[in-house]
Amino acid sequence: GFVQSDFIGGIGALYAQGCDVVIMFNHAFGNPPVRKYTIAGNNKKISHLIEHFDKIEPGWGGRETIIGSPREGTDLETRTVITIVVHKI
């Protein structure tokens, strides 16, 4: 599933809809605002995705079931993020 939001809870809402993996995009996260992706697996290990994202944009991190784009923001387009997730899960 995919959601673009700046509200907490988007990941849980998509889990409730039956999504196993969720990509959440916030176009203005933090202060100063930066573009940020969070990718989460509902009891599904996704940490292996970090190596794929790091090859094109260093700084991705996280833990077994949740990862995120660099703290200083991302330049990746949504279609790129979705493509990597779909093809590497």
Side-chain angles (χ1 to χ4, degrees):
F2 175 82
V3 62
Q4 180 174 332
S5 178
D6 56 356
F7 294 105
I8 296 171
I11 292 171
L14 287 180
Y15 283 172
Q17 296 293 315
C19 294
D20 289 330
V21 177
V22 173
I23 302 166
M24 185 166 173
F25 175 64
N26 186 334
H27 71 280
F29 178 81
N31 188 17
V34 297
R35 300 173 75 246
K36 180 84 172 144
Y37 290 97
T38 302
I39 304 167
N42 190 4
N43 296 314
K44 183 177 184 89
K45 184 177 177 184
I46 60 160
S47 57
H48 66 282
L49 294 174
I50 294 170
E51 69 180 275
H52 299 288
F53 284 109
D54 259 352
K55 288 179 184 175
I56 57 174
E57 183 179 63
W60 283 71
R63 33 187 210 277
E64 195 168 277
T65 60
I66 188 165
I67 67 171
S69 55
R71 293 179 191 265
E72 56 277 348
T74 181
D75 291 323
L76 295 183
E77 295 298 323
T78 298
R79 85 173 140 238
T80 301
V81 174
I82 291 172
T83 298
I84 290 170
V85 171
V86 167
H87 288 94
K88 302 298 181 182
I89 286 293

